[in-house]
Amino acid sequence: MTAVSDSTTPAPEPRRCAALAADLDAADLRSEPLRRLWGEEADDALARGMREPILRAIEGDDGILATLGRLFVLGMSQPVAAVAEALPRLGVDGLVALGLAAVDAETVRPTALLRPQSFVDADGVGEWWIASDLDEVALDGALPADHVLGVGGASRTLAETVVPIEVDRALDLGTGCGIQALLVARRARVVVATDISARALAFAELNARLNAVDNIEFRRGSMFEPVAGEAFDLIVSNPPFVITPRVDDVPAYEYRDGGLVGDALVEQFVRTAPAFLTTGGIVQLLGNWESRAGVAGLARLDAWVPGDLDLWVIEREQLSPLAYAELWIRDGGTTPRDAGFTPLLTAWLDDFDARRVTSIGFGYVLIRRPSTGSGAQPGGSGAQGLGGSGAQHDPIRRVERIGQPLSHVGAALAAGLAAHDRLAGGIPSRLLAAPDVTEARHLLPGNDDPSVIELRQGSGFARTENVDPALAAFVGACDGDLTVGQIAAALADLFEVPFTELWTELEPRIRSLVFDGFLVAGE
């Protein structure tokens, strides 16, 4: 079994956190100064697990930024005198008291990483200092079971998918180092951050105090136990969804393994979360789901969510059992060159075979408790207009695969929810073609009439929609000058078909284009 970390648990005492933040600010320990210090190529190499280019770039540099870069970014011991000079307010004793380092003779040995992390949201660009456990590069080996992960690819993915709405109360379930809680705290009055790991909560609280974020409550417990009886306008989670064999000698990492068989943790989360949503509240998570014995994973996921709730699932990739097993065995620091790789691979494949798993999907899940009834208020207690119109709600049921690159996913999801709610009251009287939409026409040689007409989105979900000449003409006329009815009537005359016949054909397709963001409501 993988060993438990012998690193100390952070002790986020407020005054020491403030002193450390002041020292980091004075040293300018931020992404851009560090990239200038050791170069963009070396900085990019670190993301691929190589620190040698950075070490070569700053060899012989005893400056404060270089010292802190080695200590906190690379996780390397530094001379006591150099660290004391770099952290004059906190001091070496204060750093040890925070649980971020230990002193060995004349050197300071880091027990955690502390790296600047940039972010971009609707309010602009910012940066935080994020502390987490030493990674594989710093440890030069496999991770301990209670490892607290820093900001990884999954964290960034979830951050990009969260709808940018103002809320009263939010929940970050399985907060880890606290990055999602920090992001959500920018748009929430109160955030509750939970985790089963005491070490993770200590890191998350330290990070909140380092960055002067004071509207986050930290609670320890499994799944929804710490918030029993409460409700939230927004729930976000990067849960420990990794599918791991439940057999001896297969390591279970707290940051990624929920302790259940197969995709049962995602199922449990999806079935339980709606009970903790306010009216109009939204839950968003990342997850894995298995396709078993001919039943697609997306179909299984769809069946877990009651039909009166909105459900929008985007599957981003599918992996075979072999590819999935290799991915997560390597993630734990074991490679095919290591003696333990083959036994782990065998355990993973046997586990998948036992459930007749043919593939594993990964993607984003959004569930919303819609507002219904004439007295309902859009957006619940703080979701500002995404909760429905108060008319009879026709739930969203969208379960899809999208393989192309995406951008601004959170904003695209929010726009889709808002468009769906607006459509409950009918198609808006005036529509505009979205500014990122272009049209492509494909013609056979010698033919003046296009064989294919495509509408293409330049952002969001980057969808491509095949349309016929009538629908293409409709979209082309949506410049705000004419109403939808006037455009449809003109097209009926142009194509010499009865208006009702044309409208019966166009109306559901126009609705689809509005929901997908090709068309937006005009003034």
Side-chain angles (χ1 to χ4, degrees), residues 135-338:
D135 59 14
E136 300 105 309
V137 177
L139 292 172
D140 194 26
L143 301 175
D146 61 347
H147 178 79
V148 177
L149 190 69
V151 180
S155 298
R156 287 187 285 270
T157 296
L158 180 60
E160 292 167 0
T161 65
V162 172
V163 292
I165 56 174
E166 303 288 336
V167 297
D168 182 46
R169 303 189 74 237
L171 169 64
D172 176 19
L173 192 151
T175 192
C177 70
I179 184 63
Q180 302 302 329
L182 289 171
L183 285 163
V184 172
R186 289 167 59 80
R187 294 181 170 274
R189 183 182 65 83
V190 174
V191 179
V192 177
T194 70
D195 206 289
I196 197 171
S197 166
R199 294 190 73 249
L201 288 173
F203 271 110
E205 185 175 355
L206 174 75
N207 290 329
R209 289 181 172 172
L210 270 181
N211 295 287
V213 177
D214 59 5
N215 60 334
I216 305 176
E217 301 174 11
F218 299 95
R219 305 181 193 175
R220 186 182 181 190
S222 177
M223 295 293 283
F224 289 92
E225 291 173 0
V227 294
E230 300 180 48
F232 300 88
D233 305 302
L234 178 65
I235 300 173
V236 299
S237 184
N238 179 16
F241 58 76
V242 175
I243 298 167
T244 305
R246 300 300 161 207
V247 296
D248 292 339
D249 299 324
V250 174
Y253 297 100
E254 287 184 354
Y255 74 90
R256 74 182 200 189
D257 299 319
L260 301 182
V261 174
D263 54 17
L265 184 131
V266 172
E267 178 180 359
Q268 180 181 332
F269 188 104
V270 166
R271 290 185 183 277
T272 306
F276 294 85
L277 290 175
T278 60
T279 300
I282 295 170
V283 57
Q284 293 186 259
L285 68 146
L286 304 180
N288 280 150
W289 37 86
E290 297 176 335
S291 294
R292 300 179 183 172
V295 180
L298 287 176
R300 296 179 60 244
L301 176 54
D302 182 80
W304 299 339
V305 180
D308 61 339
L309 299 176
D310 290 325
L311 174 65
W312 195 341
V313 182
I314 298 173
E315 186 174 81
R316 294 292 286 143
E317 64 179 17
Q318 276 192 4
L319 293 178
S320 69
L322 174 60
Y324 188 91
E326 182 179 358
L327 170 68
W328 291 109
I329 295 170
R330 287 178 179 271
D331 180 77
T334 302
T335 72
R337 296 189 299 272
D338 299 321

Side-chain angles (χ1 to χ4, degrees), residues 16 18 29 31 97 119 125 139 172 228 230 245 276 289 327 354 446 463 502 514:
R16 291 192 182 100
L29 187 76
S31 298
F119 65 87
V125 180
L139 292 172
D172 176 19
E230 300 180 48
F276 294 85
W289 37 86
L327 170 68
R463 300 183 190 276
L502 179 73
V514 172

